[in-house]
Amino acid sequence: MCRNSIDNCCDWIDTKIDDGTFLPVVNGAHSCMRQIGRLLVYFVYAISFFLAATSFFIILPYEQLYKSPYLLVVLSIFGFYFLINIQFHYYKARTTKPVANPGQEGDSFCEKCNYWKSQRTHHCSVCETCILGMDHHCIWINQCVGSHNHRHFFLFIANLTFAAGTIILAGYPSVYDHIFMETSEHTFCTSILHYAPLQNYICDYNELARTSIVFCYLLSAVLFLMVGGLTLWNVYLISIGFTYIDYLRHSDLKRKPGYRNRLNKGFWMNWKNFLGLRRNRSFFNYVILPRTLPPLMYDNFAKNDAFDLIV
């Protein structure tokens, strides 16, 4: 009897979805997601500014008590490099519109867009458009991750992971001294720091240095675990030539006899095409340095083969 009640409830929900009863609720939820996404963009900039300011004006100057000036210079260079790359790729990931491929007559038909869509195109209800090579809708950039901006999104989270890891490794003495202040010989406000131009201003506010260091370190640890996990997941998907939606679709297909993964071109070719390393483009100039690339086709592109589009 309980099972029949659940089945009847599910049937009722399906009916209401089909006849459009819940459409205002769904549209309201999508509109809410877009508004929250706009706020989260400012939140990301605020967090990145806080991490950079704390690292450069408090943690690095304090680390002169434990590290040589040469190592501090190296850490500063890496810090500026990560900061520039994070800001560049985040800006490009959130402002570069993924390619919306309408497809050709005879392809799948999108009833919401009222047009044809290719096999690697997925409709995003939040963005209200079809996205070629869609990976997922990311609320942190307030748009979809797909063709043309997927590369920027990946390089953004990869650089953020490395930056957070650098703070964790380099800032351990700082956070240790300021968590256990009662037993520490030094703190930011009780030490003579020659490379701390803002020390007097920061120490005018009680507990600001300690709070900033501890919060910066804990936030970096959270980002390293969460964003690092997302980065590793993307590394795996890129290595096999998948987006997340491709992965979901092919999880069921691969159980069928005669299944062939047409997306996987091999480990090196998958990465080469994802990063746009064609036409003698070097890894240093187009990956290490922040660069913008147009969407490209695979080297071994087969005509009318929608599976060969780079994402």
Side-chain angles (χ1 to χ4, degrees):
M1 183 175 180
C2 181
R3 182 174 181 180
N4 291 334
S5 300
I6 294 175
D7 290 340
N8 292 333
C9 181
C10 291
D11 292 339
W12 180 82
I13 294 175
D14 290 338
T15 302
K16 293 301 180 181
I17 291 176
D18 292 337
D19 64 17
T21 302
F22 293 151
L23 188 60
V25 177
V26 174
N27 290 337
H30 292 160
S31 177
C32 183
M33 284 188 65
R34 289 191 291 270
Q35 297 301 323
I36 293 175
R38 292 189 181 99
L39 294 177
L40 289 179
V41 168
Y42 293 106
F43 180 74
V44 171
Y45 281 120
I47 287 297
S48 61
F49 173 79
F50 168 77
L51 291 175
T54 303
S55 298
F56 286 116
F57 295 115
I58 300 179
I59 294 179
L60 273 177
Y62 183 76
E63 287 297 319
Q64 67 182 273
L65 301 176
Y66 298 96
K67 296 176 175 61
S68 69
Y70 301 104
L71 182 56
L72 291 178
V73 170
V74 171
L75 290 173
S76 299
I77 293 173
F78 274 103
F80 277 114
Y81 169 78
F82 288 133
L83 178 62
I84 292 171
N85 274 272
I86 288 170
Q87 296 303 319
F88 174 81
H89 289 297
Y90 180 72
Y91 174 80
K92 298 301 293 186
R94 73 175 186 83
T95 59
T96 303
K97 296 298 180 183
V99 176
N101 185 0
Q104 299 176 348
E105 187 173 354
D107 290 336
S108 299
F109 192 80
C110 180
E111 296 182 356
K112 295 179 181 179
C113 293
N114 197 30
Y115 211 90
W116 306 99
K117 63 178 181 179
S118 63
Q119 296 182 64
R120 296 202 69 186
T121 301
H122 184 79
H123 183 86
C124 176
S125 299
V126 181
C127 295
E128 298 180 335
T129 187
C130 285
I131 303 297
L132 176 64
M134 179 177 170
D135 185 83
H136 68 287
H137 182 89
C138 180
I139 197 172
W140 295 97
I141 64 173
N142 201 30
Q143 69 168 349
C144 282
V145 176
S147 57
H148 207 181
N149 74 339
H150 194 172
R151 170 182 173 271
H152 290 297
F153 176 79
F154 172 75
L155 292 176
F156 160 65
I157 61 175
N159 278 281
L160 183 57
T161 300
F162 285 118
T166 302
I167 293 175
I168 292 172
L169 292 176
Y172 178 77
S174 297
V175 73
Y176 182 88
D177 284 351
H178 288 82
I179 288 179
F180 303 102
M181 292 182 64
E182 294 78 7
T183 58
S184 299
E185 296 181 6
H186 311 283
T187 64
F188 182 83
C189 292
T190 60
S191 304
I192 299 176
L193 304 174
H194 300 290
Y195 307 121
L198 300 181
Q199 184 180 19
N200 292 333
Y201 300 100
I202 293 172
C203 293
D204 284 340
Y205 299 91
N206 206 19
E207 294 291 313
L208 176 60
R210 182 187 188 186
T211 303
S212 298
I213 291 174
V214 174
F215 184 68
C216 176
Y217 196 84
L218 294 177
L219 180 60
S220 297
V222 172
L223 289 174
F224 183 76
L225 293 175
M226 298 184 65
V227 180
L230 179 61
T231 302
L232 291 176
W233 173 242
N234 274 262
V235 167
Y236 169 72
L237 292 177
I238 296 167
S239 299
I240 61 175
F242 279 1
T243 64
Y244 180 57
I245 290 181
D246 291 329
Y247 178 82
L248 295 177
R249 286 175 174 172
H250 286 257
S251 294
D252 294 329
L253 291 175
K254 66 183 180 181
R255 298 188 181 95
K256 297 181 179 181
Y259 166 76
R260 181 171 66 93
N261 179 10
R262 299 166 65 189
L263 302 178
N264 192 350
K265 309 299 177 180
F267 180 84
W268 293 112
M269 185 61 69
N270 291 337
W271 278 99
K272 178 181 177 182
N273 285 285
F274 179 83
L275 297 173
L277 300 180
R278 295 174 37 155
R279 304 173 186 174
N280 297 320
R281 290 172 178 161
S282 67
F283 182 85
F284 179 82
N285 288 331
Y286 288 89
V287 177
I288 300 300
L289 299 180
R291 300 289 291 270
T292 301
L293 294 175
L296 297 172
M297 308 294 283
Y298 277 105
D299 283 334
N300 55 347
F301 174 70
K303 189 176 181 181
N304 298 326
D305 188 352
F307 285 94
D308 281 336
L309 286 168
I310 188 170
V311 296

